[in-house]
Amino acid sequence: VQLQASGGGLVQPGGSLRLSCAASGRTFVYYAVGWFRQAPGKEREFVAGITWNGGNTHYADSVKGRSTISRDNAKNTVYLQMNSLKPEDTAVYYCAADRRPRRYLTTLIQDYNYWGQGTLVTVSS
């Protein structure tokens, strides 16, 4: 499975962006997917996750209420809609897939097996 994240860019505070994570491979539809981000000088952190069928989602407190994760398995794509963006949301955003069947969404980086290359989101006026 190969993942490619896109949709980043420069946006003003209060603006919106939709990130996309496009995957190759038919097994992607069976994997949970997470979005992570890494700001300059900081560790990579979990942002949002979604189960294989979209039935369960989980968000970091820092983005809860401002972001929505969704997926279209017919298109092998997962989305992260981010609204009311703040300068502290500036980071490289990565999508990742967890191939193991779990009864819960994991937020741990080491549990994700496949990673995209990242897309830069800059929130600045």
Side-chain angles (χ1 to χ4, degrees), residues 15-76:
S16 298
L17 279 177
R18 188 177 79 156
L19 306 183
S20 299
C21 176
S24 64
R26 290 178 293 177
T27 54
F28 176 77
V29 300
Y30 301 114
Y31 299 164
V33 173
W35 282 96
F36 294 78
R37 67 185 181 187
Q38 188 165 17
K42 294 188 176 182
E43 294 187 350
R44 192 170 299 189
E45 63 178 2
F46 174 84
V47 176
I50 188 167
T51 50
W52 71 275
N53 62 353
N56 194 14
T57 58
H58 181 65
Y59 299 90
D61 288 342
S62 57
V63 303
K64 194 174 295 182
R66 301 188 294 122
S67 298
T68 302
I69 188 170
S70 61
R71 69 189 298 162
D72 185 343
N73 282 343
K75 296 182 178 180
N76 257 22

Side-chain angles (χ1 to χ4, degrees), residues 52-121:
W52 71 275
N53 62 353
N56 194 14
T57 58
H58 181 65
Y59 299 90
D61 288 342
S62 57
V63 303
K64 194 174 295 182
R66 301 188 294 122
S67 298
T68 302
I69 188 170
S70 61
R71 69 189 298 162
D72 185 343
N73 282 343
K75 296 182 178 180
N76 257 22
T77 303
V78 172
Y79 306 97
L80 181 66
Q81 176 70 41
M82 299 190 297
N83 303 320
S84 302
L85 283 163
K86 306 174 182 180
E88 50 264 43
D89 293 319
T90 295
V92 177
Y93 283 72
Y94 300 89
C95 60
D98 173 13
R99 69 184 178 200
R100 293 177 179 84
R102 304 180 197 270
R103 291 189 295 176
Y104 59 92
L105 276 169
T106 177
T107 64
L108 300 178
I109 292 173
Q110 59 264 35
D111 286 342
Y112 287 82
N113 313 102
Y114 305 103
W115 289 83
Q117 83 290 0
T119 185
L120 176 62
V121 172

